[in-house]
Amino acid sequence: MAKTQIISDLQSAIGKKWVLYAPEDLLVYEYDATIERGLPEAVVLPNSAEQVAASVRIARRHNVPVTARGAGTGLSGGAIPCEGGVVLVTSRLNRILEVDAENRIAVVEPGVINLDISRAVDPHGLYYAPDPSSQKVCTIGGNVAENSGGPHCLRYGMTTNHVLGLEIVTAEGEIVSLGGKTDTAGYDLTGIVVGSEGTLAIVTKVIVRLLHKPESTITILAIFDEVDEASQAASAMIAGGVLPAALEMMDKNTMEAVEPFINAGYPPDAGAVLLIEVEGLEEDAREQSEQVQAVCKELSAREIRIGLSPEDRERLWAGRKGALGALGRLTPSYYILDGVVPRTRLPEVLRGIYDACDRHGFRVANVFHAGDGNLHPNVMFDEREPGVTERVLKLGEEIMRLCVDADGSITGEHGVGSEKRSYMSWIFSEDDMTAMKRLKLAFSATDGFNPGKVFPTSKGCGEVSSRMKAAIAKVGPDAYV
Amino acid sequence: MVEQATLTSDLEAIVGTTDIAAQDELASFTVDGVTPSAAVHPENAEQVADLIRLANDRSVTIIPWGGGTEMHIGNLPSRYDVALNTVRLARMIEHEPANLTATCEAGMTIGSLQDSLAKAGQTAPFDPHVPRDATVGGLLATNASGAARHFYGTPRDFTIGMRLVTGDGLVTKAGGKVVKNVAGYDMCKLYIGSRGTLGVITEATFKLAPLPAASSDLAFRSRTARDASSFVMEIHGRGLSLRSVALLNAAAADSASRRDSKTYFLAIQFAGTTAGVKRSLNEARSLASESSLKLVPDLDSGDACASFFERGEGETIVRCSTISAETPSLMEAIEEIAPSAQIVATPLAGIVRARWTNTEVGPDSLAKVRECARRLDASLLIEDCPPDEKGRTDVFGPRPPSLPLLWQMKQQFDPGNVLSPGRYVDRI
């Protein structure tokens, strides 16, 4: 009865066509890039901030939560409605509202695809810097919620460094603007909402900063015999005063998976490759490229390949970009982990990860953002094997522990979601979390947006076992990291 | 009213008798004409927490104090009993060059922080022209930036971790020591720029930047602000190694005795690789020769860039923020209202800072400048003005649309209203 009422309220607010409630329609919205599931009771596809606000007010009146959803490419279950309720899909809020090339600013709606911003401003010689690997499909709204990174955030920063202002709908259903094209008075609520995983507000407009495209970009692929040498080279470069635009690493297992499909030409006995990109003025790129090569040689790189033209650079990146897809062809399932350590701790933590995987009897492929110390071990397994999921998750926990013990963090770019809530206490004290809870209370006394995320709670997202599966990615060529 | 003798003995019980300022030193902690009854120098976060708890118990108010370089910014304090000076919280905690990060206590001065990092060829990307005696905590509390903002961003962009004691004495950590971290809410963002109204910052961790291998200055004269601004946009668009940009009007240039008093003065600093800087210099010179700009030989641009932070007694100072393209219009409009105003702007970040001696301009100049900023969609912060003017107006300008959320935040983090009361937006 109550359910019928909320559906008809939503229908009269945003139109019959844009409210889904038939079970077969809802199924499409119960998942994201994790294997977690959570079925919403209704899905709304609003077309304006006013319709978002109206939907939020209706849900509030009926006492059901609202979970915002972009493209559903998230890797921490951020778009999964753990406690049911309404899923609010931003796909119709997909307009680029303004491109101000002279002032290097764009105003977009949350459903705009990340790469579409760069495409739209390309004629002006500009681009939007944060480049999560899913940038061809993921939305800016999702990027804002998760404070997404990407290979080039080593030099240019994460989403939060490129968002100047937001329009949000609060839990009370009010439309409020935060920040703006110019400095504004008051606490930096824009910076707070970015990365809040959809728990504080629903974003209806994003003001982003654009950058001039660099004059010159050089891609360098350095092949090493040992993982240790490659990770030492990564931190030696940075200590030596070079801050590349991107500094990525792939280990032996990743290369073995990639080679048959991509034909990148990785030697079968190599231990690791570094993929480094330097950019700027031609002179800067050239000088940095020389410095990078010198460091790699000093640390016994066996081969260095240089890409100057867009085609050559694309070829060097092909192995990195296709890595997860290739892994998917080797193993029925894999568990994508996301941890961060200080760059200098990479060699020891990587050793620890290989040890732990050996002990638990799993193969692991490491493909990650070495320059940031942001690790993505991908643990390969077969989900059909009885009891294997629990073993993989136990291993994952052990790897997270290694990161935390090395002064690191439990997530660098994928988010806490429901998967890592229980690890929050490993890095934050009760008082630290009290401060976060207060911040949430300042936004709303209710738990109306995306409940069951970020904070450890007694309520689970489904049963414990299925909740813990959250981070196990679906296998296939469309997976990103 | 707080009983002076018991307050002093309670404070001494926390920090000891040597870490409390003598009566004759209190005047140096004056804020907007209000001198506190005491000034204390805690040496760790626990003492800061004890002091804040004492303040809550005894209904005493505290204003955190770093280098004192930006204390004139803010509304009149509604009450001010104790200055909490971070001078003894000045230790470098960790600097691992290969991590390109550093952690230090909040009372460390920018000068000593940068000196220490420079030994490893690194820098904390605070604006290179901020006063050396400003502290890390003070710059975070104000999110201060200047001529290099387009290059380094503001402190919010490179601060990755903090320790802060909330207004009710919780000692909390925000962020961490890694450069990429999305665990939990990004609390650093809330604290940076909160001007001592939510908590007392005791420690911070930064992403660092390599010190540029080369840097070089250029200066030009320009007849109009617009020509200078277009020139800056052009060289920025070409990707030249622009680190700092300061565009001074004639009055500002004249005051720093940069000779010519009828033209705008553009100071530019290039920084980066040796080859990149060399090309930037050549290209900028050649571009300028095709424009109306005139090269000024042999000039150091450093003091021009530092003028974003200069101030004098009896002055009104406003800092406006606009979109890049409107920078020249805003400069010209302010000059028309207050012809003697010294104005410095950075067209790339859209910041225009104007200062004038109160006795030299009409009494309604400030109101007119405010109105003009509003017309141009610029925001305006009054950094300094006569105290009676502060009593009449909110220096932060019109109430922002998020005001109810700001009050909620204050309520959550400083429920007893003991930290810098009255000084923030809407007199929070």
Side-chain angles (χ1 to χ4, degrees), chain B residues 123-177:
Chain B
T123 181
F126 287 106
D127 198 283
H129 314 286
V130 298
R132 276 180 63 85
D133 53 353
T135 61
V136 163
L139 287 184
L140 292 184
T142 54
N143 196 29
S145 66
R149 173 166 165 172
H150 74 279
F151 188 81
Y152 288 134
T154 66
R156 88 185 275 282
D157 294 306
F158 55 84
T159 305
I160 54 177
M162 286 170 92
R163 277 183 192 280
L164 170 136
V165 183
T166 64
D168 56 351
L170 286 188
V171 181
T172 67
K173 178 186 89 164
K177 288 185 173 171

Side-chain angles (χ1 to χ4, degrees), chain B residues 22 43 47 63 73 100 140 196 252 300 303 312 314 346 361 378 383 392 398 423:
Chain B
E43 64 166 0
Q47 288 188 355
I63 293 185
I73 306 176
L100 206 63
L140 292 184
D300 180 351
D303 55 343
T346 178
V361 299
E383 283 193 5
R392 282 193 298 269
R423 295 219 81 201

Side-chain angles (χ1 to χ4, degrees), chain A residues 103 183 199 215 284 409 438, chain B residues 168 181 185 273 279 325 379:
Chain A
N103 296 299
D183 291 353
T199 60
E215 177 181 274
D284 292 344
S409 174
R438 288 177 175 183
Chain B
D168 56 351
N181 192 356
Y185 297 142
T273 65
R279 171 173 150 202
S379 62

Side-chain angles (χ1 to χ4, degrees), chain B residues 82-158:
Chain B
V82 177
L84 191 156
N85 187 352
T86 56
V87 66
R88 295 201 60 201
L89 286 161
R91 287 157 287 223
M92 179 68 114
I93 294 174
E94 196 178 311
H95 172 218
E96 178 72 61
N99 282 334
L100 206 63
T101 58
T103 302
C104 70
E105 288 184 324
M108 191 166 194
T109 64
I110 295 301
S112 55
L113 173 66
Q114 300 290 31
D115 288 349
S116 157
L117 299 174
K119 288 178 200 149
Q122 297 182 343
T123 181
F126 287 106
D127 198 283
H129 314 286
V130 298
R132 276 180 63 85
D133 53 353
T135 61
V136 163
L139 287 184
L140 292 184
T142 54
N143 196 29
S145 66
R149 173 166 165 172
H150 74 279
F151 188 81
Y152 288 134
T154 66
R156 88 185 275 282
D157 294 306
F158 55 84

Side-chain angles (χ1 to χ4, degrees), chain B residues 86 92 117 160 201 212 218 238 245 262 290 387 403 409 416:
Chain B
T86 56
M92 179 68 114
L117 299 174
I160 54 177
I201 301 163
L218 271 186
R238 289 177 177 219
V245 181
K262 289 180 202 65
E290 294 159 18
L403 191 64
M409 250 1 127

Side-chain angles (χ1 to χ4, degrees), chain B residues 7-8 27 45 66 69 88 109 123 161 246 251 333 348 372 382 385 407:
Chain B
L7 175 62
T8 306
T69 56
R88 295 201 60 201
T109 64
T123 181
L348 289 171
C372 151
I382 301 172
C385 68
W407 277 104

Side-chain angles (χ1 to χ4, degrees), chain A residues 100 102-105 146-147 149-150 153 157-158 160-161 168 176-178 181-189 191-192 195-197 199-200 212 215 235 238-239 241-243 281-284 287 340-344 369 372 374 407-416 424 427-428 431-432 434-436 438-443 454-455, chain B residues 94 96-101 120 122 149 156-157 166 168 170-175 177-187 189-194 197-198 207 210 213 233 236-241 273-277 279-280 321-326 348 351 377-379 396 400-402 405-406 408-410 412-413 424-425 428:
Chain A
D100 178 350
E102 188 178 19
N103 296 299
R104 307 176 307 283
I105 292 169
E146 303 292 336
N147 189 15
C153 69
M158 313 268 287
T160 190
N161 303 108
I168 60 164
V176 181
S177 19
L178 310 177
K181 293 178 182 175
T182 64
D183 291 353
T184 48
Y187 305 127
D188 181 7
L189 300 181
I192 281 301
S196 62
E197 304 195 16
T199 60
L200 300 179
H212 289 291
E215 177 181 274
S235 59
I238 286 164
V242 185
L243 189 58
L281 290 176
E282 256 174 56
E283 290 81 352
D284 292 344
E287 192 168 318
V340 205
V341 297
R343 302 170 240 248
T344 45
H369 315 299
D372 293 313
N374 186 186
D407 258 351
S409 174
I410 56 169
T411 172
E413 55 181 10
H414 294 173
V416 174
M424 285 285 280
I427 52 173
F428 292 117
D431 286 351
D432 302 340
T434 299
M436 292 187 201
R438 288 177 175 183
L439 183 145
K440 189 165 186 238
L441 275 175
F443 273 84
V454 184
F455 295 103
Chain B
E94 196 178 311
E96 178 72 61
N99 282 334
L100 206 63
T101 58
Q122 297 182 343
R149 173 166 165 172
R156 88 185 275 282
D157 294 306
T166 64
D168 56 351
L170 286 188
V171 181
T172 67
K173 178 186 89 164
K177 288 185 173 171
V178 284
V179 295
K180 218 172 159 188
N181 192 356
V182 294
Y185 297 142
D186 190 353
M187 302 302 289
K189 297 290 188 293
L190 177 65
Y191 304 144
I192 294 171
S194 65
T197 58
L198 299 179
K207 290 204 269 190
M233 302 290 229
H236 183 241
R238 289 177 177 219
L240 300 186
S241 321
T273 65
T274 312
V277 168
R279 171 173 150 202
S280 298
S321 165
T322 181
I323 49 175
S324 314
E326 292 291 349
L348 289 171
I351 302 296
D377 280 333
S379 62
F396 294 96
S402 57
L405 284 169
L406 304 186
Q408 284 292 332
M409 250 1 127
K410 175 71 172 178
Q412 288 292 336
F413 286 83
Y424 202 50
V425 177
I428 285 177

Side-chain angles (χ1 to χ4, degrees), chain A residues 392-419:
Chain A
V392 168
L393 290 167
K394 197 160 180 307
L395 168 63
E397 188 170 322
E398 206 173 310
I399 291 174
M400 280 301 116
R401 222 0 134 183
L402 285 171
C403 294
V404 171
D405 290 347
D407 258 351
S409 174
I410 56 169
T411 172
E413 55 181 10
H414 294 173
V416 174
S418 47
E419 176 207 1

